[in-house]
Structures are given as structure tokens and as C-alpha cells.
Amino acid sequence: MTKMTKEDALIREIFEPGRKGTQALASAVREAGKLLFEERVAMDDILVTKDIYPVVARQLGKDSRNIARQVERLANQCWDGMDEEQKKRYIGKELKDIRAPKDVIFYLAFYVRFRQGFYRVLEKEPGLLFGKRDS
């Protein structure tokens, strides 16, 4: 049996209990966190189709295009399934919509790392948006 990661636990908090098929989204959130907080890549410099989806596809032994569709579908379902309280908790402020499914990946990566919403974290540490790699 594999150990449940923080990303897996968070995704399970958001989706109904027992929801299957969320591994791709959890892996995408984990990879985004690695790029943001370990490799210190600026969020705007991360291209999910180049930097995240291929890595997740290799991890799960699947085609990158299929993973992209799956993660984007799950991210949209995640957004649609959250109530206003969850959006405030995980994102840090009330938003009417997301610009793209990748936003959900980054919002959740910040929450996993800091246990606070994205915008609350950035109020305290705006420098987190700017990476340190290849300076």
C-alpha cells in the first residue's frame, strides 16, 4: 500500500470521500510545489504542458496528452465542487472564476506548502511569486 501524501489528502478533502482517479491532479500539485518551493522557479515561468504534465505522465506511465486532459478536467471539477468557504480557505479570497485550470494546481500547491490560501500567503510574502533559479 502506498503512503498518502499531503497532496492526496488535500484532493480527498475537496472531492467527495472515496473519489477515484484523482492521482493525476495530486501528482500535478506535488510537481508544481517542487518547482515552486524546491527549485524556486517563478510561477509565471512554469509551463504546465512542458514542466508538469510530462513528469506526471512518466510517473503514472501514461501519455502526456491524456494526463493534460485528465488534470485539466479534474482541476475544473475541483473548482466547481468547492463551496465559498473552501475557496476562501484554499485560495485565500473569494473569486468568481479561475483564469485556467492551472490556477487550481498552483493554489493547491501553495495550500499544501503553507496550510493557508494562496492570496493570504502572498500578502505576507509577495516575493514567492519570483523564482531564484538561473539568477
Side-chain angles (χ1 to χ4, degrees):
M1 181 173 204
T2 60
K3 180 181 170 196
M4 184 184 301
T5 66
K6 292 177 185 178
E7 295 82 5
D8 294 315
L10 176 60
I11 300 302
R12 288 180 187 209
E13 269 180 41
I14 295 169
F15 284 108
E16 69 270 7
R19 168 75 186 256
K20 302 285 186 201
T22 58
Q23 186 59 47
L25 179 57
S27 294
V29 171
R30 188 170 28 263
E31 187 60 28
K34 179 181 162 199
L35 291 168
L36 289 165
F37 308 119
E38 293 175 25
E39 296 183 23
R40 305 294 306 259
V41 180
M43 196 166 80
D44 287 344
D45 292 340
I46 298 172
L47 305 173
V48 292
T49 56
K50 177 180 168 267
D51 300 319
I52 295 176
Y53 298 154
V55 174
V56 172
R58 279 192 302 277
Q59 290 170 352
L60 300 179
K62 297 190 177 183
D63 180 74
S64 188
R65 290 179 303 245
N66 291 340
I67 288 296
R69 284 191 298 272
Q70 185 178 8
V71 169
E72 290 169 6
R73 185 176 60 250
L74 285 165
N76 283 324
Q77 290 172 356
C78 184
W79 173 260
D80 292 340
M82 281 193 269
D83 61 28
E84 292 305 312
E85 182 182 314
Q86 287 175 310
K87 289 176 183 175
K88 284 181 187 175
R89 181 179 340 137
Y90 300 129
I91 298 167
K93 74 177 187 180
E94 195 171 321
L95 295 178
K96 296 295 177 204
D97 203 4
I98 53 171
R99 293 176 297 155
K102 72 176 186 175
D103 293 344
V104 171
I105 296 169
F106 292 124
Y107 295 153
L108 297 180
F110 268 76
Y111 189 83
V112 166
R113 175 73 176 212
F114 298 102
R115 301 310 285 179
Q116 293 182 35
F118 175 82
Y119 289 100
R120 286 197 179 122
V121 171
L122 291 183
E123 284 175 7
K124 298 173 189 170
E125 297 185 52
L128 287 171
L129 283 180
F130 310 104
K132 301 268 190 243
R133 186 170 81 172
D134 298 328
S135 299

